[in-house]
Amino acid sequence: MKVAENSGQANKFIEDFFTNGFSKSEVYLLTYNKERSEHLTDITDTKEYRVSEQGLFESAVNKLFSREDELRSKMASLGLTREEAEQCIGKMKQERIVIIAKKDR
């Protein structure tokens, strides 16, 4: 997991993950603002976190919760602890970009 200050730094971290053997389908990008996440995912060629990965029930439940709850749930499914997720959310609230790489099984 890496936390970037801006999209340029995010691109560098993403390229580092690719260089270290991660594929595009194994690198996720998250920001506090959902639209910004979608935009950055498009321009950095990283994986969009989809409903099929999260599970239909979990996705439906997330619609009832806040953006923070949704982010916590996504990060937990990617293997982050609750404490790590809370730290990431704090960074995202400061306009930081969180990049998570997780090997496919």
Side-chain angles (χ1 to χ4, degrees):
M1 174 187 62
K2 299 277 186 179
V3 178
E5 299 282 327
N6 53 50
S7 60
Q9 189 177 40
N11 270 327
K12 184 194 176 324
F13 290 152
I14 290 164
E15 288 301 320
D16 289 346
F17 281 127
F18 293 160
T19 300
N20 287 309
F22 287 92
S23 70
K24 292 178 184 179
S25 66
E26 297 171 323
V27 179
Y28 300 83
L29 182 146
L30 299 168
T31 69
Y32 198 79
N33 179 289
K34 192 179 271 191
E35 290 79 22
R36 183 175 184 220
S37 284
E38 291 169 3
H39 173 72
L40 288 171
T41 295
D42 287 342
I43 65 171
T44 60
D45 204 19
T46 52
K47 186 158 185 181
E48 184 176 355
Y49 195 91
R50 300 188 189 283
V51 171
S52 61
E53 295 170 70
Q54 189 174 18
L56 197 52
F57 175 75
E58 189 175 325
S59 178
V61 169
N62 277 341
K63 291 183 193 296
L64 303 174
F65 294 121
S66 70
R67 177 68 175 155
E68 288 183 28
D69 291 331
E70 179 184 354
L71 288 167
R72 280 185 199 97
S73 177
K74 287 178 180 182
M75 288 185 279
S77 70
L78 292 171
L80 273 66
T81 66
R82 182 140 178 103
E83 182 178 283
E84 290 170 327
E86 292 302 322
Q87 290 173 356
C88 287
I89 288 171
K91 296 289 185 189
M92 283 186 262
K93 284 182 174 181
Q94 298 171 359
E95 301 295 318
R96 304 301 192 279
I97 304 163
V98 174
I99 302 107
I100 300 169
K102 180 183 178 190
K103 282 287 187 186
D104 288 334
R105 296 174 206 201

